[in-house]
Structures are given as structure tokens and as C-alpha cells.
Amino acid sequence: MVTTPSFPSEPPDVVSLESNVEARFETAVSVSQRRGEDISIVVRRAAALPALCKFLFGDTGCSFGGLIVEERKEDWHLLYLFHLPGTGWIHVTLQLPLENSTVPSISPQVHAADWYEREAEDLFGLRFEEHPRLGDFILHDQVWQEGLAPMRRAFDPGQVHLERCPNQEWRPNLVVKDPGAFAMPVGPVYEGGLGESIHFLLETVGEDVIRASPRLFYKYRAVEKIAEGKAVSDGLLLAERFAAKSAFAHSLAYCQAVEKATHLEVPVRARRLRVVLSELERLRHHAGAIEAICQSTALNVSEAQAAIIEEQLLRASCCFTGHRYLFGLNAPGGLRRDFDGPACQALLAAVEAALARLRRLEHRLRYTSSFLDRLEDVGVVTAEAARDLDLLGPVGRASGLANDLRRVWPYAGYRESAFEVACEKEGDGYARLRVLFFEAQQSGRLIHQAIEALQPGEVWAEGQRMVPGPTLGWAEAPIGATVHWLRLDEDGRIDRYRILSPSFRNWLGFHVAVENFAFQDFPIILATFGLSATECDR
Amino acid sequence: MTAWIAGALLLFFVFCATGLVLSSLGGSRYAAIVIGWQGALCSVMLMLAAVFRLMGAQDFDLALWTLNGWGSLSLHLDALSAVFLFTAGLVYLSCSFFVPDYLLHYFRNRYPAGRYGVLHFALMATVVLVLVAGDALTFLLSWECMSILCYLLVNYEEAQQTDSSAGYIMLAMSEAGFLAIVVAFLVVAGNATGISFTALRAASGDLSRPAVWGVFALGLFGFGVKAGLVPVNFWLPRCYTASPPAFIPVLAGVTLNLGLYGIVRLNGDLVPGHDIGTGLVALIVGSITALVGILYATTENDLKTMLAHSSIENAGIIVAGFGAFLAFRNSGNAAPAAIALTAALYHMANHSVYKALLYQGTGHIEAATGTRDMDRLGGLIRLLPALSVVFLVGCLAISAVPPFNGFVSEWLILQTFLRSAILSSGLVKIVFALCGAILALTAALAVTCFVKTYAMSFLGIRRGTWKVNKALPARKWRFSLMILAVSCLLLGVLPTYVIPVLDGAVQPLAGTSATAALVPPFFTATPQNQQLPPAFLQDFHNLGAQTGAGAVPGRGLVILLRGSEQNPVVFAMSPSYSIIALAILLFLAWIVVGRWTRRRTVEKRELWAGGIPRLLPEMSYTATGFSNPVRVVFQAIFRPNIIEDTRATVGVHFRTAIRRRRDETHLVDRLFFHPVGDVVGWIARSLAAMHHGNLNAYVSYSLGFLLLILFLYRLA
Amino acid sequence: MASWFWYGLRNGIQSTRYPQAPELAPGVSPGRPLDTLFPDAAEAARAAANCPVNAITAVASFANVDFRKCIYCQRCHFGAPDQLHWDSSFEWTQAHSTPGGYQPLPGEFSHSLHVIVVDAGDCGACLNEVKQLNNPLYNMHRLGIFFTPTPRAADVLLVVGPVSENMRGPLVKTYEAMPDPKRVVAVGTCAITGGVFGRTFVSAGGLGSVLPVDLEVPGDPPPPLAVLHGLLAVTGRKQPAPAADNFHKGSL
């Protein structure tokens, strides 16, 4: 049963959080509040960092946003983003001199930070003490040599003839140490390439797969590095195109970050149209995810029906906006084009037709026991595990974490919209499927509301001068919450661009779901997670 | 003919004695040459003696000296002994080429080959004595000597052994079995006039029913120790694994047969009885032995231990066939009884040949790579190509794949189970059906087991870090393997010639001729033949059953069983024709593919593994993984104790190691050995309560015992 | 379970009739920019300057488009002055420049073509469009084209993405594992010219520097019918445009 979660009636007190932190950590940190919403905590003593993060994540119930590492002129800036629903963003910053690149690791306390620290170690060369496993993460040891640190300022991304001394004796790090155990390799080219390039090692002693370890970052294109020095408009092109199936959501987060930096008020019509386009993308993405689940269970007719729905939505997107994946629509300040009444009505009709087909499909699937048998109790992520790893999006919602940025921090036109947030408790494949269907229906509802509420007006507002400095924008992408963080310099160019993508976080949850399962359930669990390697790899 | 048999046996004993003496003199190299040549001569003499007996159809009797009050010790070579003798000779012949070089190159100068030679020839002599013994005392004495010599040979590499108790357990079990055999012979000889087998056979008719059952049980389990029957076979896997690779082909190919010989001789020849129940008991014991053996073989990773369990399985099949023989004979159906005994003896011969082959192959593998663990082998087909061909022949033979010998004997065994439909009692038929199902399951598991063995050892990529030892001499060893491989093929392709030879042993025991029941005279039939009506002959003539009638000797090349009047079905097979057809088809395929289709260029490129840089050994299937489904399905039998040890650094999230240890106690140990040991221990502890050190109590023990004796004497 | 069968049948045949008949349904293709004649050179130059990837070059008052570089930023489509003309076609497969021109696969392959798709750093859109070829609306099986998971059975290697460095090794291994005859098709702007990712230390900037390319299907992403056109061109059922041709002059 899909239920609407109940939010606490009183938002936690900002003041109480500040005073709690100050009381606990006294001189190690200094707390201040800025911009009316965000809290800034500067950590003066690095050793207090793990305890502070554990307090925020575990005791106060904050959600971990991500780790942003910057190499400034004289020192390292490490920004640990947390957020408390109803309060604001909590920026925990730590500054270290450049020659000291050792940081205490917070991963033992905040498990969700595991991969962020590994990424920082691979790309910046920082050492995180007490992190159990560093190395061979983004830059594969079989291809790259140690110590490259490509995200450092001194590294030129354009050097195409890099000396490579790969490690020929590389062996995977296998966890199951039974003498008869072996690891079945899958990928990176498998399923005819219709699956993304990921390498899995399924460790087994014959029957059940005891543990599956995915090896990602085969698609690493250093988006954050090549964005440095680009103009804001060129950075927008990158934001759209690094994960094209959520292109509009990422471009929206990027534009909202820039709009914050220019103190822009986006026109009402543009906000509502942004809701229409975001939900259109979400609806199409979920249709594709449902098709992938049906394909993994080999229920061919339902796969075909879901594929028809996805293709029809792609065509509807193309008729409405001129591009099937909604490229080139967002700009800082609003939208680059307007849509007239008949076009909106045509879109609405197409969406209604798609929703009707989805309802019929859902109804039929609900009564196909052979299909449900393959999804129920398969790939379970318990509520504790979900909270421990702070999972996002439909995966988190299927395990009881009802976090949705559209509800918690409404952006664009979501303030005026009424919709329900899906929430399931079981955390298995069927729960994730139900969440997808529910959210698809809610997307339809949101599109309907937004189109009905459209008033004539401008769709774009001119920006004032850009204020250099850091800025943050967010959106609820189809896979989960995404945060784009920018630091702009005086010329209005990008000094540092950081993408915190939901797939990067949710792949951790995949590890938990794939333990002790039968080998034939593996594609099903993969499909129900619906994760994107390109969004994770950037 | 008997003179020739006498001559052959005499020469055998002479060569044995000289070999024994010569190998104790001189150095290791000299002893190895003696073992090789003298041993080969001895084996040839054995085979000649057996052939003369089987061709001549006249028993050989030789009375040795007479003992006062006991009777005369004698030797008696009849057809049954001849069959076993021939098999032993064949295995010994092959081992004569295998053992010497193995001793020299594998043992180097660690153990003197002379000592091995002495034991080797002594064992050969005692084995032959057991087989040609004509009276109980000779039999028992040579059996005991054989047990002790086996123990000495098993413990030959005493410094090398990881499990030094294995030989000791074997000796203890052999003695226990020997005790049982002695008691059995005593019971039989209680009413007899002398100790010779003829006297015992005559006296067995007067035995009461419980006595017959007693003799049967004691014989089955006493000889079953050597043969490897459940529940007295728990010594076998340990011991086979611990014995030196030079000895084990003999252990598995010759001494195991002695146990079977004992069962057939005592329970089939001397004291057959009239109860169908004895046959059923042997049937059930054999089937269960077969199933337990193959289950543990399939899940075992060590080559030698796996082959040991497989030997248990094959012994079980033979005893099951023997049980069917007893059941059919004691219920009055002589023809099915003949078929059953033929199947059992055929399987015995086949097993010796392919088991010796596989064990020699395993010895090679161990000498070449230094490991026997299937999880660590792999890729040997490229490194040892000749061995892989011969080992494949052995695996195919043991998996009962035509055209090799395992197929024929397996087919015959299963056919006897199908014949059980003619029995009258419903309960008996149910037992036959269940045991037949168990044997069918066993056959399927045997295929699994040997597919796993061959695939994991020879195919795929190398999983361990060993390197092939190139300094091994290849030629002579190939010869020993070739003898056995060619025998596998011939025994499989010419069954219609083997069956008349076995018939010499079967006919006296079963009452009718197996040849008459199994090999119809397609080549020699006249129109007046009652056995085969002309219409039937014509049908088979149209199928080609008389092809080769003029050129090929014998009755025909088809094995055929006909059903009864109510159920007139015909079961027929002919490996001889099959292999010709197979050869023709392969030749045609070669012509079609090679000559008539377009020339294609074949390029060899790198292995495709999904795009990873190279396929590491830890990514390829292991033997444990291959047999895991069997472990899971039969979990109730294995009852493993799984201890999971998860090493985690920080919470559940960071796992560094997951270790799973399986502790398994063998089923027989669990159900039989440990409870018996517990009971014995309990008895010992209770009796130990008597030893409290109190002198007065000890004196009262003596008094009490004296009173008891007087009381009993009064009563009697 | 049986009701699925009837449900599928009731939905009827929805496949496009392409290539027997042109596909005119709205939304099947985003179209592409065409060479446009502007009133004067200054406007043409402004239109050329608008393009963030320098796909438009102004020659007098002509604005010529190199579609192989186009990333569909839509700046020359709407929302700004100096817009180019766009059409709604999708048959824009082009042969890569090789001496002697493009040699299609022999006739045996024309109705039995096996394709292996390798994702070499693709953003997800091109891969999704290629996947759509399996759905009932396009149904490439009726044309005898199949996806295969193993390169040993493949005739065509279809690559999407700018060839990230970590995928270079697997991609080359896939190519070498394919038996002859084989063809390589680069699908998407990223696979042809590197797209927005360009040529960096982690991105090869297109397939041309890694493998010998036979056909190119530009677009970001190219719609499924464009990919289908490309696959049909592999066996010669459709004609690709010749290499480096400044095609589609016209539409004045």
C-alpha cells in the first residue's frame, strides 16, 4: 500500500540545533547562520570532524548531501553538506593547509560518505585516515598509475598523451575467502551493450551469490574538471548532457544555482512550465524503468507495452519541445522558449493517454503471480540500511525514507502544487515497482495542475550582475535528489563545479541489496534499482 | 589342459619367489628393474593360467600337504577363480610398467625400492593364493597375510603421510572382518567332513535357516570390509588417500576384488541358501553403498579421495547385482540369475580396469603438478595432451558411456532390475524397483562426478600456481596406461565374446547358461533352432544382426534379452555394431565438412571475457562450485556444519572477508562408527568403574566369579 | 498468464512501415539544422557565433552547418534571433572518410545482421534511442537486425559515447573479438567528434582515433529511425551520404 508519510507538524528548531552543536563541541567548531536559512559550521580542530558529523547524521537526523573538495590558492576547502528537512542546508567546512593532505575520515560514522571520500582520494590525492578502503576507485588501477590527482589545479585536462603505467598484476579485491569460491565476471560489455558499462564480480561458492561488487567509473569523463574555466552558459551544456535521461532535472538544478548567485526571481509562468517539463521527464523516465523491470523478468508483453508508453512520451516531448530528451530548454532566468495553448493541450492529451495505459499495465501486473514472485522479497533494502546509507529517490522511498525535495524544499512551481509522496516499507523489488507507478501517476497530476494554472506572462527574466562565490542549486531528479554546487569567479566563469548525483549515492544501497541471492535474480535487482552508471560516473 | 595350468601356476610362483629374493638384494635401480620385468612375467603367467582354465573348461586341483585332524590343504582353480585371476593379472601387468619408474623418479632415494619389491611380490603371491585356495584354512591364512601385507604397503611412505592412522584403521577393520569370516567358516565347517570347499559345499545343505542367515551376514560384512560396503567401509577413503600412488592401483584394482570374490564364493557358491531374503539384503546394502559412495565422490575435491568413494560406489553396484542373483536363484528363476551374476562379474572386471587406469592417471597428475586438488588444477589438456586422452577414456568408461566397457555392465545391471517383474511377491518387486531407482540415480551422479573431474582437472585455465614437471619419463608410463585403455575399449566393444568366457563361472552357480540368455546365435542359428523362431530371426536379419556372419567368429554381435510371454518386449544392444556405425558416421562427417564445404579460415584470437583485461583464475568455475548443487540437494545426507565467519571492519558496511567453513562428518561415521565407538567407550567406562583400587573388592570379584562358575556348572 | 497473450494481440501491430514507406508521425525525430542563406554576411556571422561547438561556419551570407558536431543546444532553433532552418528528416547517416568509399557488407547479411552495442561513456540518451529499436513501434527484428551480447556472433559494432579512457581497452577487445567481415558504426555526436566532452585525458574525443570507423550517425542523440537508417546502410539497403560532404545545401 502506498501511503503518504506524515511529516512532523513542527519543524525542528534552528536555534536549538545551533545551540546543541555549540554546547557539544565548544571550541572545536564555530557556528553561524547566514542567508536566513543555511547554517555554517566551521570546524577549527580537524579531529572533531568525525564526532560532529556523527552527531549531525545520527543524533539530529540530518541527511548527508555530499562532500565538496576545493583546492584554493593557499588551502584545501572541504565542505560537508548536510540538510535537515524544514531547517536548511548545513555547511560544515574544514580548511587545511595545502601541504597537509590528511583528513580524518567520517565514513566509519557516516557510512553514506564512503564513496565521496574515496572519490576525493582518487581525484585530489587527499588521504582519509581510518577509511577502510581507498584506491582503485575512479581511476582504475589497470589503466592509470597511482598519484595522478587530475582534479588538482596544476593538472591540465587537455594532455591527451599521458604516460600510462598500468598495474599489470592487478587482481580484484575478493571478499569471500573460501577455497572453493570464485567470482563470476559480468561485463563491462554484457547484455549486448544495452546495459551500461559496469563490471560486476559475483562471488559465489556455486549456488547462491554471496556478494556482488560492481566496479563503476568505466564512463568517467571528468565533467567537473572540464567545466572549470568555462562560461556559465557552456557549463549548462555539460550539466544537461552528462546524464541525458535526467537532463532537464540537472539543468534545472544548475540554473537554480546560477539564479541564486544573481538573485534572480524566475517568472511565474516559467516556474510552472518548469514543473511541467520536470514531471514530463520523470514520467518518461519511470516508464523506461518499468520497462526495464518487465524486461528483466522476461514478461515480454508487458515489456512491449511499457516500451510503447516510453516511446510515445518521447514523441510527445519532441512535439512539445523540439527534442526528445528536453535539451536546450533551461537557461538561467527561466526558459529559452515559450509554449502556446494548443501545444500544452496536445501534451496534456498525450500524457493522459500514457497514464491510462500505465494504469492498465499496473492493474494487469498486479494479478500476474509469476511476475510478482520474482520481485517480492528480492533485493531487499531494509529501512535501517536505507537510513544508514541515506538512500535517495524511489529506492529510498520504497524502504521507508520519504524524502522528496519537491516537498521538503519546494523549488520552481512546486510550492503551489498538491501531490503525494510515495512511501513503501518493504524495500523489495515489488515495493520499488509500486513506487514507480505511484510517482508516474503523481507526475501526471502535477502536469495537469501546472498546465491548468498557466497564466500568460514572461518565461525569462534578465539577470543582474553575478555575485562571485559559492552557490547551490537542487532538484528532485527521477532517480533522486541532485545538488549542483558552483563557485563563480569575478568574470562570471566557473571556478569549481561539483555535481552530487543521486546515482552516486544509491549504488551503495545496491551493495546491501545484493547479498546472498540466487544468480538469476541479479538482472532483476539491477533493474529494480534503476540506477544510472553515467550519472554516477560523470 | 590342467597340466598347462599347473605349469603356469608353478612358473608364477617361481618367478614370484625369485623376484622377491632378487629385489631384496641390490640397489633401488636394480630392484625397480626386477619389479618391472619379473612382475610382468608373473602377470603374464597369471593371465595364461586363467586363460587355460577358461578355454579348457576343466577345474584344476592340487592337493598340498595334509594336516592331522583337519584335512588336506589344497589349491583349486575353477572358472570363478579364473575370472578374478585374469583381472588381477591384467592390472598387475599394467602396474609392472607403472610402478618401477614411479618408484625411481618420484620416491628418488627416500625409500628403498627393494623393500617395496619384496612386499610387492609377497602380496602378489598371497593374492593368488587367496584366489586359488581350495580349502578354508589355506584361504584364511592367505587372507590374513594379504591383509598384513596391504597394511605394510599402505604405510610405505610413513614419513610422508599426513594421516598415519589410516593404515592402522585399515588393519583394525581387516582384523575385525577376518574374525567375522573365521566365525562364518567355523559355522559352515561345524557339520562338514573336511575343510575343503567341496566338503563345505556338501555340508551347507544341512545348515538350519538361522545358521545360513548368520553365515550370510558374517560373510557379507566380513568380506564387505575389503570390498568397501556400508557400514564397514569408513576406513576406505582415508586409506586410499594415504597410500602411495604406486600401490593404489593394485589396492583398488586387485584387493578390492578379493572382498567381492569372498562374497561370491561364500554366499553364492558354498552356502547359497534358499531364502530370497538374503538376496534382498545384499541388494539393499549394495544399492545404499553405491548411493553413499557416489554422493561423497561428487562433492569431493581431492582426486584420490574422490576415486576412493567411486570405488565404494562400484563395489556397491557389484554387490547389488550379486544380491539380485541370489534373489532370482532362490526364487527359482535361473535365467535372470545368470544374467545378474554375469553383470556383477563383468562390472567387477570393468571396474578393476578403469579404476586402475584412473588411479595411474592421478599418480601422473600428482607427479607432474604436485597437487591433487581439483580446485587448483585446470588446463592440463594443453600441458599433458597424451594423458588427457587416456584419462578421458577412463572417465568415459566409468561414466558408462558407449563404446567403453562401463556401458555394457551398467546396461546389464539395469536390465536385471527390469527383469524383476517376473517375481511373484509384491514386496520383493517393490524392493527391486526402489533399488533400481537408486542405482539409476547413482549412474546419473557418476556422470556428474566425472564430468566435473575431467573438466576441472583438464579443461579451462590453470587455477593454481604450479608448473608442470617436465622431467618425467613418458614412454613407459604411456604403455601401462595404454594397456588399460585398450582393455576398456575391447571389453566394451566385444561383449558377446566376454560373456561366454564369464559363463564358465556363472553356469555352475546359477544353473543355466548366461550365454544362452544373453547372446542369441545370429551367426550360427539353424532354422530348427527352438530358441529363436524364424520370423524373429528374419526381423533381426533385416536390421543387420547377421552382418559379418561369415567372417567373424562366435555366435553373434548383439546382446539381446527377451521378455516373457505376457510381456513380449525385446531389449537389444550391440556396441560392436555401434562403434562401426560411429566410425562410419565420423568418417562421413569428415568428408562432408572437410571436402564438400567451403574452405574457411579459422583464426585463433584471445578469449572473450566481457572486455576485462584478462580472465583471472579466480574468475573461473571451481570444482566446489560445480558440485554445489549436489551438496545443496542432498543436504539431509551430508548434514554439514556451516560456520560463517564474517570479518568486518566497520559495521556491516565494510566487509573485508567472509569465510565459510564446512565441517562434515561422513554419513557412515555419523550413523555407525561414532555410535559404536560411543557404546564401546561407554562399556569401557562402566567396566572401568570396577577398577577402583580396592583390594578387598578385587578378592570378592574372584570369589563371586568362582561361585558363578559353580552355579552354571550345576545348571548344565 | 494467458490473458497477456490476448492483451498483446488486442493492441495490434504498431510498427512503423519504414523503410517501405516514409515515417511521418510527429515526434519521431528532432530534425536537424540546415544550411541557411541569410540576408547579409553580418547576420550569418552572428548565427555562426551563436554555436557553442563551432558547428556553423559563415561563408559570405551562407551559414553552413557541420552536423557532425551538433549537440542540439537548440540555440539556432528557437529562443534567439538569427535562427537556422530546420527540417524533420532522420536519414542522415554518413560514411566515414576512408579511401575508396564505404563498402557495405555482402548480400547474405542484408536480412540477417547481428549488432553488438558498446557503451563507451555515453550519456544515456544515445543508448536509450538504440534500445528503442527493440520496441514494437520500430521493431527492427522485422528487418532482420538483432542485438547480440557476444562479439563472436556480431557483424556490426555500434559504439555510443566519446570513448572514455577506462572503456578504451574493453572496446578494442570487443572489436578484436569480432570475426571478419565486420563494420563499425559510430552513433551520436559524442562518438564522432567528442561532443561537449571533447578530447581530454579521459576522453578520446570520438571513435575515429580508436578504431577504424565505417559509418557515422550524428545527432545528440540521433532518433531511433536515424540509427535504423544507419544499420540499413551497413548492408547497402539504404545509401549513406558520402564522407565529409557538406550535405543538404538548399532549402532556401
Side-chain angles (χ1 to χ4, degrees), chain A residues 138 140 143-144 150 155 157 159-160 164 188-189 192-194 196-197 217-223 226 233-234 237-238 241-245 299 301-302 304-305 307-308 310-311 314-315 318-319 321-325 327-328 336-337 357 360 364-365 368 370 534, chain C residues 1 3-4 7-8 10-11 14 25-30 52 71-75 78-80 116-119 121-125 127-132 134-138 147-149 162 164-167 170 174 196-197 199-202 220-221 223-224:
Chain A
I138 295 189
H140 292 171
V143 180
W144 305 94
F155 188 88
Q159 39 183 333
V160 293
R164 276 188 235 300
V189 180
L194 294 181
E196 293 183 288
S197 296
F217 300 101
Y218 277 91
K219 299 167 55 143
Y220 174 63
R221 292 149 293 171
V223 167
I226 58 182
S233 54
D234 290 336
L237 294 176
L238 278 172
R241 280 164 191 73
F242 83 93
K245 281 169 80 166
L299 191 57
V301 178
S302 63
Q305 296 302 316
I308 291 175
E310 186 188 4
E311 174 63 22
L314 282 167
R315 290 188 187 180
C318 189
C319 291
T321 68
H323 193 270
R324 286 160 63 99
Y325 292 86
F327 283 7
R336 296 191 55 251
R337 62 169 285 184
R357 282 191 106 111
R360 282 201 294 276
R364 293 202 97 83
L365 285 176
T368 307
S370 60
T534 176
Chain C
M1 250 334 256
S3 64
W4 280 106
Y7 181 55
R10 270 208 308 274
N11 275 277
Q14 312 213 359
V28 293
S29 170
I71 59 166
Y72 278 148
C73 64
Q74 314 274 25
R75 287 179 199 177
F78 53 73
I116 181 166
V117 180
V118 175
D119 168 16
D122 160 66
C123 64
L127 197 61
N128 205 37
E129 297 293 70
V130 171
K131 257 189 181 164
Q132 299 301 93
N134 259 333
N135 76 22
L137 291 166
Y138 299 108
F147 287 134
T148 168
S164 55
E165 195 57 36
N166 283 344
M167 266 312 278
T174 311
V196 290
F197 304 107
R199 198 156 144 72
T200 64
F201 71 107
V202 278
D220 194 6

Side-chain angles (χ1 to χ4, degrees), chain C residues 178-229:
Chain C
M178 288 168 65
D180 290 316
K182 55 190 172 189
R183 298 287 180 268
V184 178
V185 178
V187 169
T189 299
C190 290
I192 302 173
T193 52
V196 290
F197 304 107
R199 198 156 144 72
T200 64
F201 71 107
V202 278
S203 162
L207 191 56
S209 55
V210 180
L211 292 177
V213 180
D214 294 299
L215 288 177
E216 297 171 340
V217 183
D220 194 6
L225 285 175
V227 181
L228 191 59
H229 178 257

Side-chain angles (χ1 to χ4, degrees), chain B residues 603 605-608 611-613, chain C residues 151-152 170 173-174 176-178:
Chain B
E603 278 185 47
R605 300 223 185 126
E606 205 190 337
L607 177 73
W608 170 249
I612 54 180
Chain C
R152 296 275 193 240
K173 272 194 188 305
T174 311
E176 285 169 356
M178 288 168 65

